[in-house]
Amino acid sequence: MRPVSSLSLSPSVKVKLVSAGFRFTSDLRGLEPLQLSKEASLCQLEALEVLQAVRRVGGGDEGGGGASASLTALELLQKEEEELRSIVTFSSQLDAALGGGLPVGKMIEICGAPGVGKTQLCLQLAVDVQVPPCFGGVGGQMVYIDTEGSFLLQRVVDIATAGVRHCSLLAEDDEQRVAMETFTLETILSNMFLVRCHDYVELLAELRLLPGFLSANPRVRLLVIDSLAFVFRRHFDDLSQRTRLLNNLAQQLITMATRHEMAVVITNQMTTRLRGGQSQLVPALGESWGHAPTIRLLLHWVGHRRMAAIFKSPGHMDSTIQYQITSEGFRDADQCEQLQSKRPRRHTNQPAASQGVSNC
C-alpha cells in the first residue's frame, strides 16, 4: 500500500484526503470524481487529478498494478506486423509518406490554422477506419469526441457515400464483394460513437470512462478528439496546472492507444510565438505537450495550395505533400506538379510552423 502523502499532489489536497480518511491509494480505488469531491471536500478538477495520480502509481484500471511482461524487439516487430495496421487517408501521397497511413497504436496530432482541413481529415478517417481488411483497411469502429461542435453529419454522409462507391469499384473477388454487403452508409454511421464535450472537465470525465467503453467495444480502432486546444486554451489562469493536466492526459491517451490497439488522433490550433524579435506560427498548448504525440502533421497553405507536412515522427522522414478537400473528402491534389520535399530533420524540440511553410 502506498501512502496518499507520497502522491504528487498539492499539500492542501493531501490534507483534505487524509482528513477525510483516505490514507492509502487503495482507499481511493473504485471511486468516481463526483463521489470523491463530496467525501473529501474537493472540487471536481482536484478529484480528477487525485484519481489520475493514483492510476499512475498503479492504483487504477489504466495505470497497471504490476509490471507488464517484457517483449524482445523481434517479438514486438512480429506482433505489430501481425496485428497492427494503418488507417488510410484516401490521399495516396500522404499514405505513402506515412508508410501506409496513420498507424494504429500511436497518438497522432493534426495541427493547422482554421479552415485548412483538420476536421475534414478527421471525418475522412472516421470513415476510412471502417474500410474492410480485404481492401487494405482495418474494419474497425471509432469514437469521435467533438469539443467545437464541428461534427457535421451531412458532411460525414457525403464522405461515407464516396468511400462506399470507391470500394465497390475496386471489388474484384468474392471476398471483397461479400465485404461490400456490410460496408454501407448505414453501417458506417452506426459504427461511429459520438461524444460532445463543452469544457475540459467534461473531456477529462469522458476520457476517464472511456477504457470501460473500449473494453466493451473491442472493435474500436480510432479515437478522435477535435479539438484538444479548444477546451484547454480557455479558462486557465494557472498555466502550470494546465501543463500538469495535459501531461496526465497524454499519458492516459498513449496507454489507451497501446492497450486497445487504436489510433488516437488529436487536432490542435496554432498560436504565435516571438523569437529573436520575429513572430512565428507554432502549434498551441506549449512545447511540453509537443513531445506527447508520436506523429505531428501540420496542415497549412502555400498560396492557394493546401499542404500537409510531417514534422515530427520517429519512423518517417520529414516530408510535405499537396492535398485538396473535395465534395468526396480528403484527396490528392489534381495538379500534375506535386510538391514533395524531404529535408534533414531539425534538432529542435518543437519546430515552428513557419519553418515548415518556408521549406515548402
Side-chain angles (χ1 to χ4, degrees), residues 295-310:
I295 298 174
R296 305 187 87 185
L297 297 178
L298 172 64
L299 306 186
H300 58 275
W301 294 94
V302 175
H304 66 280
R305 297 178 300 177
R306 297 176 190 261
M307 314 299 294
I310 303 173

Side-chain angles (χ1 to χ4, degrees), residues 50-70:
V50 170
L51 296 177
Q52 287 173 345
V54 171
R55 287 200 302 275
R56 288 199 302 273
V57 299
D61 293 338
E62 288 297 306
S68 59
S70 61

Side-chain angles (χ1 to χ4, degrees), residues 324-341:
Q324 64 176 338
I325 304 298
T326 72
S327 60
E328 296 185 342
F330 193 92
R331 295 291 189 273
D332 285 322
D334 283 336
Q335 294 88 340
C336 295
E337 294 183 25
Q338 296 292 344
L339 178 63
Q340 177 128 15
S341 63

